[in-house]
């Protein structure tokens, strides 16, 4: 029997080293292999987190390296949680999050359901639909500012064509009432294809024989849809909502391009406010506390959601 | 063999030495990406030819300029040897040690701040303000002023209609009240088959736009940053009755007389609105004016230039723009950077700077008898620079600026609350900042 490469490598290993390795337990060898990764994670994830927690109890300002850093206790947290402006940004974020997810799920699932039917040009239509999500958010933000322009924007002209409301009589980005919807529309336009693709994967994972069995049992199409299609696609749909929810909670670039947070603070999302506090106002301690509050919020919500997702998958 | 090694090592050392010497003859200048920066690139070719130094430039668009460059300074970055930083950065530049103090250098090289326009020295170079501590050489004088469509103002039918409506001639406005009348007169009017609007003003939310615009008006309505006798005492000054009236005026002007969709407009949007013939008047910094003169739509005598109008009580001020040039303290090429400043401060260089579209702050250039007639906007620039005021140049200016951005945009564009509430809120915000800084 010829010698395998591993055997020959083992034979070539110097006796002293072989002995040393032989002396290690499996557990030690496992630690040896995973420790670089753990160290890396500690350095780039855990250490900054602990450092941020520490900074959140100080008045540290990164642009004033010579200033004395004072321990302020819970003052930063108290200021944030009692600041009505911060609650307004939370509300703006919640509005954006809820409605963009709602429209993306409804439209995304509908598109996936339609695309799932076999028709000529199916692949071409699918490619066409997913185009928006391939674009850079900065580019999308820029060209939608033109589309929303009251004097030359196609969006306003489309509204005029459909409703008779004069194009230059309203400004999607300048109106307090319309701006929150303007950013929802753009995000929906850009990211519905993502939800559609995930739903499509879910729909295509349902075996045909289940529908065939339902046909034999004379189940109506409506009943098939509600008792078979929806429950089987639901885990995929929930995964899409999780991904989009996390992404939209930290939404920044698109909205900065579109409104800069305005008019006033109408579209000032938490991530934009956090960036301003941290890197424009340079209130590092305060913004660290803000970041920790947001982290706990997202972490808590995501944990609850993942538990729900697992329950759905177990059904 | 040993000789061979020695010769090789020597050659290598020479080569490395030459390479590092060549590298040391580079300088990087950081500024905003705008027309004057392009002019400076051209001007600096003379410096390159004289000194053998290769100039590199790092230009960042205005809306990201402060963000990008303050990050660079705060992190002790060595990207920039020379920084043409905004006037409000001077406090932070000096107190945080970002800029090199230039007093000794000026003394050693015969550069006197008395030779520069006083407003630019105070605005761009001094910290603390009013003291002879210099951290920059005035590099580019700038101020907010107005342009107007002279060709429209001179149309007989419009002149007649205006006179009939307002009982006075359609002339460049001397007061803000007159400016609003004119803006209302043009708003929604058909000119040459196109709907035009009254005025373009600053409303941008993200960086500094709406603050620059609002302040440009508020000064002439009686706004003051603080009690002149008690620093950081803002109650009754920031939110004085005059300041409230000024903010209300700005909102009225925004509501009545700007083109649709100008809810987030700054310099670029103003230029576009004016050049495309959308507006009769435009608020903008003086740096934009040379571009209008050569524009096919609004150049060739179609544009007039206007000093910021006076307020209701005759007060007349304008928002200072512009920048000084500083040596970055983290640079390893400070001597070379100082050489550049020495070259730039020369009279003939400053004269050429003006001729290329750069607004020189050197008195011998701007006080030259031929200066006022050298460009159609030269006199307006001179008159405007005589009435300037600037935003806080305090080390915490960025925080103070974001507070005013929020308060002004919330009232003017979003229409939330009253002018009194906006300014009272601003006093509260600024008080917190100064308390955090230990100044109150």
């Amino acid at each position: 029997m010829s010698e395998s490469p591993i055997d020959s490598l083992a034979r070539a290993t110097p006796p002293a080293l072989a002995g040393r390795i032989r002396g290690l337990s499996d557990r030690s060898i496992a630690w040896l292999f995973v420790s670089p990764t753990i160290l890396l994670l500690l350095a780039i994830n855990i250490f900054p987190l602990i450092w941020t927690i520490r900074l959140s109890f100080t008045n540290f300002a990164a642009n004033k390296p010579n200033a004395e850093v004072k321990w302020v206790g819970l003052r930063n947290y108290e200021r944030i949680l009692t600041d009505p402006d911060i609650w307004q940004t939370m509300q703006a974020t919640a509005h954006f999050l809820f409605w963009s997810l709602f429209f993306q799920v409804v439209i995304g699932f509908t598109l996936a359901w339609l695309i799932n039917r076999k028709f000529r040009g199916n692949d071409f239509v699918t490619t066409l639909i997913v185009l928006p999500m391939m674009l850079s958010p900065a580019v999308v933000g820029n060209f939608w500012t033109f589309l929303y322009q009251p004097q030359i924007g196609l969006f306003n002209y489309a509204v005029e064509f459909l409703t008779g409301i004069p194009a230059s009589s309203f400004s999607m980005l300048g109106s307090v009432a319309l701006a929150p919807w303007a950013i929802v529309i753009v995000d929906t336009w850009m990211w519905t294809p993502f939800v559609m693709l995930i739903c499509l994967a879910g729909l295509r994972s349902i075996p045909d024989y289940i529908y065939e069995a339902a046909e034999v049992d004379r189940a109506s199409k409506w009943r098939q849809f509600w008792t078979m299609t929806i429950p089987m696609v639901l885990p995929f749909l929930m995964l899409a909502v999780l991904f989009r929810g996390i992404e939209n909670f930290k939404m920044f670039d698109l909205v900065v391009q579109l409104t800069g947070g305005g008019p006033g603070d109408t579209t000032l999302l938490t991530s934009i406010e956090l960036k301003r506090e941290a890197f424009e106002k340079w209130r590092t301690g305060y913004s660290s506390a803000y970041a920790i509050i947001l982290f706990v919020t997202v972490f808590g919500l995501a944990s609850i959601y993942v538990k729900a997702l697992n329950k759905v998958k177990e059904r | 063999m040993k000789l061979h090694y020695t010769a090789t090592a020597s050659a290598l050392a020479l080569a490395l030495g030459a390479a590092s010497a060549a590298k040391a003859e580079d300088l990087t200048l950081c500024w905003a990406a705008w027309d004057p920066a392009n002019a400076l690139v051209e001007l600096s070719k003379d410096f390159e030819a004289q000194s053998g130094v290769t100039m590199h430039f790092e230009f960042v668009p205005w809306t990201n300029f402060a963000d990008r460059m303050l990050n660079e300074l705060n992190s002790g970055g060595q990207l920039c040897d020379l920084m043409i930083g905004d006037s409000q950065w001077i406090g932070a530049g000096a107190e945080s040690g970002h800029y090199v103090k230039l007093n000794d250098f000026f003394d050693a090289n015969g550069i006197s701040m008395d030779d520069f326009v006083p407003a630019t020295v105070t605005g761009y170079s001094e910290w603390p303000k009013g003291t002879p501590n210099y951290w920059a050489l005035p590099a580019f004088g700038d101020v907010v002023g107005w342009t107007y469509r002279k060709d429209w103002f001179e149309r007989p039918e419009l002149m007649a209609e205006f006179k009939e409506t307002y009982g006075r001639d359609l002339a460049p406005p001397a007061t803000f009240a007159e400016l609003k009348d004119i803006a209302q007169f043009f708003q929604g009017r058909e000119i040459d088959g196109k709907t035009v609007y009254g005025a373009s003003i600053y409303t941008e939310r993200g960086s500094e736009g709406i603050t620059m615009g609002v302040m440009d008006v508020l000064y002439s309505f009686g706004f003051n940053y603080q009690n002149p006798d008690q620093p950081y005492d803002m109650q009754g000054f920031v939110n004085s009755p005059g300041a409230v009236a000024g903010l209300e005026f700005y909102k009225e002007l925004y509501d009545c007389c700007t083109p649709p969709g100008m809810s987030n407009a700054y310099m670029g949007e103003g230029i576009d609105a004016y050049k495309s013939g959308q507006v009769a008047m435009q608020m903008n910094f003086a740096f934009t004016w040379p571009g209008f003169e050569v524009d096919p739509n609004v150049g060739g005598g179609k544009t007039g230039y206007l000093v910021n109008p006076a307020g209701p009580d005759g007060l007349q001020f304008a928002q200072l723009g512009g920048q000084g040039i500083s040596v970055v303290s983290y640079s390893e090429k400070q001597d070379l950077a100082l050489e550049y400043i020495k070259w730039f401060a020369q009279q003939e260089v400053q004269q050429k700077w003006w001729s290329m579209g750069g607004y020189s702050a050197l008195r011998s250039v701007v006080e030259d008898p031929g200066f006022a007639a050298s460009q159609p906007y030269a006199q307006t620039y001179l008159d405007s620079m005589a009435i300037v005021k600037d935003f806080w140049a305090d080390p915490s200016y960025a925080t103070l600026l974001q507070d005013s951005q929020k308060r002004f945009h919330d009232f003017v564009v979003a229409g939330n609350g009253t002018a009194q509430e906006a300014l009272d809120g601003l006093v509260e915000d600024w008080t917190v900042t100064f308390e955090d800084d230990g100044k109150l």
Side-chain angles (χ1 to χ4, degrees):
Chain A
M1 199 171 85
S2 64
E3 195 176 62
S4 74
I6 292 173
D7 290 336
S8 62
L9 195 67
R11 198 176 300 283
T13 308
L17 180 64
R20 279 208 300 276
I21 291 177
R22 261 201 300 274
L24 288 175
S25 65
D26 285 353
R27 198 175 178 78
S28 304
I29 292 171
W31 273 108
L32 198 68
F33 283 129
V34 298
S35 55
T37 310
I38 289 175
L39 284 175
L40 197 68
L41 280 174
L42 281 173
I44 63 172
N45 278 347
I46 308 300
F47 172 72
L49 181 64
I50 294 169
W51 193 251
T52 306
I53 293 171
R54 183 187 163 275
L55 287 179
S56 71
F57 297 108
T58 69
N59 69 342
F60 178 62
N63 66 334
K64 293 173 190 164
N66 304 327
E68 185 194 353
V69 180
K70 286 184 192 157
W71 184 264
V72 296
L74 290 171
R75 190 171 154 228
N76 288 331
Y77 288 92
E78 186 198 330
R79 273 167 79 169
I80 292 164
L81 294 173
T82 55
D83 185 348
D85 293 339
I86 295 286
W87 287 107
Q88 192 185 328
T89 63
M90 296 277 192
Q91 277 178 17
T93 308
H95 179 279
F96 172 68
L97 207 61
F98 177 80
W99 287 109
S100 59
L101 286 177
F102 175 79
F103 288 124
Q104 284 169 34
V105 165
V106 171
I107 302 170
F109 182 81
T110 309
L111 285 174
W113 190 68
L114 292 171
I115 293 274
N116 195 36
R117 290 152 182 261
K118 295 189 173 41
F119 60 90
R120 219 176 136 184
N122 182 304
D123 293 343
F124 177 72
V125 172
T126 308
T127 310
L128 214 60
I129 291 173
V130 300
L131 273 179
M133 64 181 258
M134 296 178 188
L135 300 171
S136 149
V139 172
V140 172
N142 251 330
F143 79 65
W144 271 91
T145 53
F146 289 111
L147 291 178
Y148 280 144
Q149 225 287 331
Q151 295 171 79
I152 56 165
L154 282 179
F155 183 89
N156 283 38
Y157 276 95
V159 171
E160 180 177 315
F161 179 75
L162 294 171
T163 66
I165 298 168
S168 60
S169 69
F170 66 99
S171 167
M172 288 298 289
L173 300 176
S175 153
V176 174
L178 298 176
W181 295 106
I183 60 173
V184 168
I185 290 169
V186 179
D187 192 71
T188 303
W189 177 83
M190 188 171 180
W191 289 110
T192 294
F194 176 78
V195 178
M196 183 201 81
L197 284 180
I198 292 185
C199 291
L200 198 57
L203 288 169
R204 288 190 177 162
S205 72
I206 304 173
D208 286 344
Y209 67 80
I210 295 182
Y211 289 107
E212 287 162 10
E215 293 284 339
V216 171
D217 289 344
R218 294 187 178 179
S220 67
K221 291 282 178 195
W222 184 248
R223 191 171 172 80
Q224 285 178 32
F225 179 78
W226 282 108
T227 56
M228 291 159 51
T229 309
I230 290 287
M232 296 186 86
V233 173
L234 195 59
F236 291 86
L237 209 53
M238 287 182 75
L239 207 60
V241 168
L242 181 69
F243 288 155
R244 289 305 311 143
I246 292 171
E247 280 295 309
N248 276 8
F249 198 84
K250 58 186 188 186
M251 170 57 69
F252 181 82
D253 37 15
L254 192 68
V255 177
V256 164
Q257 284 290 338
L258 283 165
T259 62
D265 283 351
T266 312
T267 59
L268 191 67
L269 307 182
T270 48
S271 53
I272 303 173
E273 174 71 354
L274 180 59
K275 186 258 181 183
R276 282 195 180 144
E277 290 292 341
F279 300 110
E280 289 178 27
K281 295 184 176 182
W282 291 98
R283 293 156 74 173
T284 315
Y286 179 90
S287 55
S288 297
Y290 195 5
I292 294 297
I293 290 171
L294 292 181
F295 171 74
V296 170
T297 310
V298 177
F299 191 76
L301 290 175
S303 300
I304 296 166
Y305 190 84
V306 168
K307 271 191 180 174
L309 177 63
N310 287 336
K311 274 191 181 170
V312 168
K313 272 169 36 185
E314 282 165 12
R315 276 202 309 225
Chain B
M1 190 67 178
K2 193 178 176 187
L3 183 70
H4 176 72
Y5 279 136
T6 311
T8 308
S10 306
L12 201 64
L14 276 172
L16 284 172
S20 64
K23 202 178 172 191
E25 297 299 299
D26 286 7
L27 268 183
T28 302
L29 186 150
C30 298
W31 200 9
W34 58 336
D35 287 348
N38 300 330
L40 189 66
V41 172
E42 287 303 309
L43 184 73
S44 296
K45 285 177 180 167
D46 290 351
F47 175 73
E48 289 180 312
Q50 284 173 28
S51 64
V53 173
T54 305
M55 293 297 296
H56 301 289
F57 298 92
E58 190 72 24
F59 297 148
V60 179
W62 266 112
T63 43
N64 302 104
F65 180 52
D67 244 14
R68 170 76 185 85
M69 289 307 167
L70 290 176
N71 263 323
E72 182 66 25
L73 292 174
N74 287 323
S75 60
Q78 295 186 326
L79 170 70
C80 314
D81 303 303
L82 288 155
M83 173 72 76
I84 304 190
D86 223 350
S87 55
Q88 301 99 330
W89 305 2
I90 200 78
E95 289 195 14
S96 299
H98 301 322
Y99 292 164
V100 172
K101 193 172 183 182
L102 298 174
N103 286 53
D104 292 343
F105 166 74
F106 286 164
D107 292 343
N109 290 280
I111 298 171
S112 170
M113 285 295 102
D114 294 340
D115 294 339
F116 289 84
V117 175
T120 65
V121 176
T122 308
Y124 311 153
S125 303
E126 288 177 1
W127 188 261
K129 295 290 175 198
T131 66
N133 295 290
Y134 305 119
W135 305 87
L137 180 98
F140 186 86
D142 205 355
V143 58
V144 176
W146 294 78
T147 51
Y148 66 96
R149 288 298 298 265
K150 212 165 144 189
D151 53 335
W152 294 358
F153 276 50
E154 287 168 355
R155 292 194 178 192
E157 71 279 13
L158 295 179
M159 290 168 77
E161 191 185 330
F162 186 87
K163 184 145 194 169
E164 195 184 320
T165 312
Y166 294 95
R168 63 170 194 273
D169 289 334
L170 177 56
T175 65
F176 275 115
E178 289 180 10
L179 184 140
K180 196 174 135 201
D181 286 345
I182 295 170
Q184 272 175 325
F185 176 74
F186 279 103
Q187 183 75 2
R189 183 170 289 275
E190 287 278 320
I191 291 184
D192 299 334
K194 240 172 75 173
T195 306
V196 305
Y197 302 92
S200 151
I201 59 174
Y202 293 160
T203 56
E204 186 250 8
R205 171 71 176 90
S207 59
E208 59 172 20
I210 195 163
T211 300
M212 294 294 107
V214 168
M215 288 303 184
D216 189 54
V217 172
L218 254 57
Y219 297 142
S220 303
F221 278 76
F223 170 96
N224 279 300
Y225 286 100
Q226 56 190 334
N227 182 345
D229 301 323
Q230 194 182 336
Y232 305 113
D233 172 21
M234 296 169 286
Q235 195 63 249
F237 293 89
V238 167
N239 53 354
S240 65
V244 171
L247 190 55
E248 280 167 352
F249 172 85
Y250 202 82
K251 177 163 177 55
E252 286 165 17
L253 192 61
Y254 171 73
D255 287 340
C256 78
C257 307
T258 56
M262 292 291 271
S263 56
N264 197 21
Y266 197 22
M267 298 180 272
E269 289 77 10
I271 293 170
D272 290 344
Y274 188 73
K275 280 185 175 176
S276 62
Q278 276 189 70
V279 289
M281 293 179 290
Q282 181 222 188
M283 162 194 274
N284 222 330
F285 282 106
F287 87 86
T288 59
W289 299 348
F292 296 139
E293 278 304 300
V294 295
D295 187 79
N297 292 331
V298 296
K302 289 181 185 167
T303 292
Y305 303 91
L306 187 65
V307 180
N308 211 31
D313 299 328
L315 292 173
Q316 192 174 18
F317 297 101
Q319 173 60 46
L320 180 71
Q323 301 87 32
I325 183 167
S326 300
V327 176
V328 177
S329 62
Y330 315 112
S331 164
E332 290 176 349
K333 302 167 191 169
Q334 290 182 16
D335 290 342
L336 216 52
L338 289 168
E339 277 304 306
Y340 183 89
I341 291 185
K342 186 179 164 186
W343 166 81
F344 186 70
Q346 295 174 90
Q347 206 273 342
E348 59 273 22
V349 175
Q350 288 289 312
Q351 188 68 53
K352 191 171 179 185
W353 181 220
W354 165 249
S355 69
M356 294 172 82
Y359 284 84
S360 172
L362 193 67
R363 288 174 66 179
S364 61
V365 173
V366 299
E367 289 174 4
D368 184 274
F371 179 83
S374 63
Q375 292 288 353
Y377 47 81
Q379 187 61 52
T380 308
Y381 168 67
L382 275 184
D383 296 342
S384 298
M385 285 304 286
I387 57 168
V388 291
K389 280 195 177 191
D390 199 7
F391 191 75
W392 293 105
D394 198 90
S396 288
Y397 106 91
T399 309
L400 304 165
L401 181 66
Q402 282 305 320
D403 291 335
S404 58
Q405 284 289 104
K406 174 190 156 50
R407 295 287 175 186
F408 293 156
H409 209 268
D410 213 23
F411 173 66
V412 174
V413 178
N416 292 329
T418 64
Q420 185 71 58
E421 286 166 357
L423 291 171
D424 289 348
L426 192 57
V427 172
E428 283 173 27
D429 296 343
W430 285 355
T431 301
V432 169
T433 300
F434 289 127
E435 278 173 354
D436 286 350
D437 289 351
K439 290 175 175 167
L440 276 174

